[in-house]
C-alpha cells in the first residue's frame, strides 16, 4: 500500500510544487514591475506636466536632471545621452514668448554644460553649438539678456580652455553693431526690443578682457566705442579714467 500511495501522490506533489513556483515567479514579476513603475514615477509625472505646458522651462530642466540622477542603473552613459536629447528637444518645443518658470537661455547653458562634461573630445561640438545659438540664431530669443547670457557663456568656455585670443575676439564680436550678416541680424532683432550691442553684461565682460588681454590701444578703442554708442555706464567711465591714469594718460583721463 505504501508503494501504491507514493506512486499515486507523487503527481499531486509535483503539481503543487509547480503551482508554488509559478505563484512565486508571478509575485516576483509583479514586484519588479511595481518597483520599475515607482522608479519611473517622477519621469511620468514630469511628462504629464510637459504635456500640459511644453513651454515650462523649469520642467524641461527637471527632466534632464532626473535622467542624470539615475546613477544606480548600469547604463549611465545612456542616461546622460537621454538628458542631452531632452534638452535638444526642449529647444524645439519652448517658444520664447511663452516661456515660464525660467529663461530659455537656461536650457542652452545646461545643454552646453552637458556637452562639455560628456567627453573631452566634445570641445569642437560645444563651440559649434554656441555658434548655432549665438551667430546662426537657430533659437530665437525675445529678451536681449538671454542671448547675452549665451554669448557670455561661450566666451567663458573659451577662457576655461585657455583660448585667450578666441575669447577676446568673441567678446568684441558680441557687441559689434553689425556683427552678423543682414539676414541673421534681422532675424535676431525681430522680437528683441533692445539690440545686443547695448547689453551691459557683454560690455563689462569685454572691457575686463581688454584690460587683461588686449593692448592699451584696443582697450581705449573699446571704451571709446562704448561711449560713442552711449551705452557706457558711470562705473565703466570711472574705470576708464583710472585705466588712463594708470597708463600715464593724465590729460585724457580728464
Amino acid at each position: 500500500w505504501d508503494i501504491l500511495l507514493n506512486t499515486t501522490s507523487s503527481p499531486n506533489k509535483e503539481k503543487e510544487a509547480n503551482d508554488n513556483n509559478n505563484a512565486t515567479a508571478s509575485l516576483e514579476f509583479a514586484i519588479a514591475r511595481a518597483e520599475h513603475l515607482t522608479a519611473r514615477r517622477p519621469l511620468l509625472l514630469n511628462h504629464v506636466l510637459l504635456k500640459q505646458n511644453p513651454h515650462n522651462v523649469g520642467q524641461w530642466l527637471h527632466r534632464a536632471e532626473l535622467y542624470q540622477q539615475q546613477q544606480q542603473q548600469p547604463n549611465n552613459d545612456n542616461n546622460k545621452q537621454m538628458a542631452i536629447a531632452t534638452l535638444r528637444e526642449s529647444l524645439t518645443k519652448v517658444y520664447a514668448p511663452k516661456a515660464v518658470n525660467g529663461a530659455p537661455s537656461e536650457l542652452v547653458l545646461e545643454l552646453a554644460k552637458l556637452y562639455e562634461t560628456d567627453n573631452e573630445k566634445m570641445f569642437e561640438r560645444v563651440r559649434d553649438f554656441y555658434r548655432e545659438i549665438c551667430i546662426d540664431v537657430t533659437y530665437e530669443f525675445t529678451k536681449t539678456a538671454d542671448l547675452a547670457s549665451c554669448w557670455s557663456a561661450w566666451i567663458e568656455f573659451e577662457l576655461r580652455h585657455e583660448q585667450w585670443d578666441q575669447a577676446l575676439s568673441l567678446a568684441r564680436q558680441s557687441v559689434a553693431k553689425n556683427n552678423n550678416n543682414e539676414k541673421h541680424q534681422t532675424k535676431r532683432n525681430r522680437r528683441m526690443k533692445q539690440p545686443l550691442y547695448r547689453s551691459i553684461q557683454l560690455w563689462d565682460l569685454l572691457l575686463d578682457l581688454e584690460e587683461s588681454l588686449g593692448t592699451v590701444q584696443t582697450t581705449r578703442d573699446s571704451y571709446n566705442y562704448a561711449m560713442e554708442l552711449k551705452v557706457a555706464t558711470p562705473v565703466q567711465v570711472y574705470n576708464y579714467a583710472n585705466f588712463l591714469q594708470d597708463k600715464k594718460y593724465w590729460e585724457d583721463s580728464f
Side-chain angles (χ1 to χ4, degrees):
W1 289 99
D2 292 339
I3 296 175
L4 182 60
L5 289 175
N6 285 337
T7 55
T8 56
S9 62
S10 178
N12 293 332
K13 289 183 178 181
E14 290 180 0
K15 181 180 179 181
E16 182 179 353
N18 290 334
D19 291 342
N20 290 336
N21 291 335
N22 292 335
T24 301
S26 298
L27 179 60
E28 291 177 352
F29 180 70
I31 293 175
R33 289 187 62 184
E35 291 177 348
H36 178 69
L37 182 62
T38 302
R40 286 182 49 80
R41 180 181 180 277
L43 281 172
L44 296 174
L45 178 60
N46 174 264
H47 178 72
V48 172
L49 294 175
L50 287 176
K51 280 288 187 181
Q52 294 174 349
N53 185 5
H55 309 292
N56 192 323
V57 174
Q59 288 300 327
W60 283 108
L61 293 171
H62 182 53
R63 187 171 186 81
E65 182 182 358
L66 288 174
Y67 280 120
Q68 295 179 76
Q69 288 176 351
Q70 294 178 349
Q71 298 298 327
Q72 70 275 13
Q73 296 185 5
N75 197 353
N76 292 333
D77 291 338
N78 184 60
N79 292 335
K80 177 170 285 190
Q81 294 304 316
M82 289 296 294
I84 290 175
T86 294
L87 293 174
R88 292 292 296 188
E89 182 184 3
S90 71
L91 293 177
T92 65
K93 299 291 187 181
V94 176
Y95 182 48
K98 296 183 179 180
V100 296
N101 196 20
S105 59
E106 295 179 49
L107 299 172
V108 174
L109 301 185
E110 184 63 24
L111 180 53
K113 178 182 175 182
L114 287 178
Y115 277 142
E116 188 174 356
T117 58
D118 185 41
N119 194 321
E120 287 296 329
K121 297 181 180 180
M122 293 293 285
F123 176 83
E124 288 298 330
R125 181 67 190 91
V126 178
R127 179 178 281 177
D128 290 341
F129 174 63
Y130 277 124
R131 186 178 293 110
E132 291 173 12
I133 296 296
C134 299
I135 297 179
D136 297 337
V137 200
T138 55
Y139 185 87
E140 189 174 349
F141 295 104
T142 56
K143 296 181 180 179
T144 305
D146 281 330
L147 187 55
S149 295
C150 295
W151 273 98
S152 297
W154 187 5
I155 296 167
E156 291 168 1
F157 164 77
E158 299 291 349
L159 291 173
R160 282 196 301 275
H161 292 273
E162 300 183 356
Q163 302 295 313
W164 317 120
D165 293 339
Q166 178 71 6
L168 183 56
S169 175
L170 287 172
R172 292 169 179 166
Q173 183 179 355
S174 68
V175 296
K177 198 168 183 179
N178 296 310
N179 60 352
N180 284 305
N181 60 47
E182 185 177 352
K183 176 183 176 181
H184 289 162
Q185 193 72 15
T186 301
K187 183 178 180 181
R188 167 181 293 175
N189 294 330
R190 185 184 303 165
R191 296 186 181 278
M192 291 196 307
K193 296 180 180 179
Q194 185 179 13
L196 188 64
Y197 68 82
R198 301 192 69 85
S199 169
I200 302 302
Q201 177 184 355
L202 291 176
W203 275 107
D204 283 339
L205 183 55
L206 170 62
L207 296 175
D208 285 344
L209 290 178
E210 286 287 8
E211 292 192 26
S212 302
L213 304 174
T215 65
V216 174
Q217 187 58 49
T218 59
T219 303
R220 294 189 62 180
D221 290 342
S222 294
Y223 274 112
N224 290 333
Y225 186 48
M227 291 190 289
E228 177 186 338
L229 295 176
K230 298 180 180 180
V231 298
T233 64
V235 173
Q236 291 171 351
V237 174
Y238 178 77
N239 291 339
Y240 186 25
N242 287 337
F243 173 79
L244 291 173
Q245 290 178 7
D246 290 340
K247 302 301 179 182
K248 311 302 181 183
Y249 291 93
W250 304 106
E251 293 184 1
D252 291 341
S253 67
F254 290 101

